[in-house]
Amino acid sequence: QVRLVESGGGLVQPGGSLRLSCTASGFTLNEYAIGWFRQAPGKEREGLSCISGSDSNTYYAGSVKGRFTMSRDNAKNTVYLHMNSLNSEDTAVYYCAADISSCHRRMNYWGKGTLVTVSS
């Protein structure tokens, strides 16, 4: 059925870059709102970026705007999160989420997450 699978996480040095991928199956990705979230131990889940399916706008949280860039490849049914200038505060499990309606904090479908560790 509906499935989202994240990939691309791993260990990266401070100041480095990393690209995360989210591949969808069971539905057409460009018909949904797709967002990226993250959660670190002891912290609340944080919304990072979202592409609205209705108006094609891309939204970014203030904490990552200018450093992170979200993109979409319709042919591959995949969205990406390009992360630059990473620091230790970016260490977290990153999740991809989707909703048929719009970008919001409580999306209906979630992937299992991919771990990003920023350390020297």
Side-chain angles (χ1 to χ4, degrees):
Q1 302 288 12
V2 175
R3 186 185 180 198
L4 296 168
V5 179
E6 304 96 337
S7 63
L11 177 65
V12 62
Q13 294 183 343
S17 300
L18 203 63
R19 187 186 74 170
L20 305 182
S21 300
C22 174
T23 300
S25 61
F27 67 100
T28 302
L29 194 62
N30 63 2
E31 297 179 350
Y32 283 68
I34 309 297
W36 285 97
F37 299 78
R38 69 183 180 187
Q39 187 167 25
K43 297 183 178 180
E44 295 182 349
R45 185 178 62 199
E46 178 186 14
L48 303 175
S49 180
C50 190
I51 294 179
S52 173
S54 61
D55 58 13
S56 298
N57 292 141
T58 303
Y59 306 95
Y60 296 95
S63 61
V64 303
K65 191 173 185 178
R67 296 193 299 123
F68 291 10
T69 302
M70 191 174 181
S71 62
R72 181 182 66 199
D73 188 332
N74 291 332
K76 296 181 179 180
N77 216 32
T78 299
V79 296
Y80 304 94
L81 184 67
H82 297 80
M83 306 185 295
N84 299 311
S85 301
L86 290 166
N87 57 67
S88 61
E89 298 298 317
D90 296 314
T91 296
V93 176
Y94 285 70
Y95 298 91
C96 178
D99 197 289
I100 189 64
S101 58
S102 62
C103 295
H104 59 102
R105 293 180 178 272
R106 298 181 179 180
M107 310 289 272
N108 286 334
Y109 305 102
W110 294 80
K112 296 186 181 298
T114 184
L115 177 64
V116 173
T117 302
V118 184
S119 177
S120 60

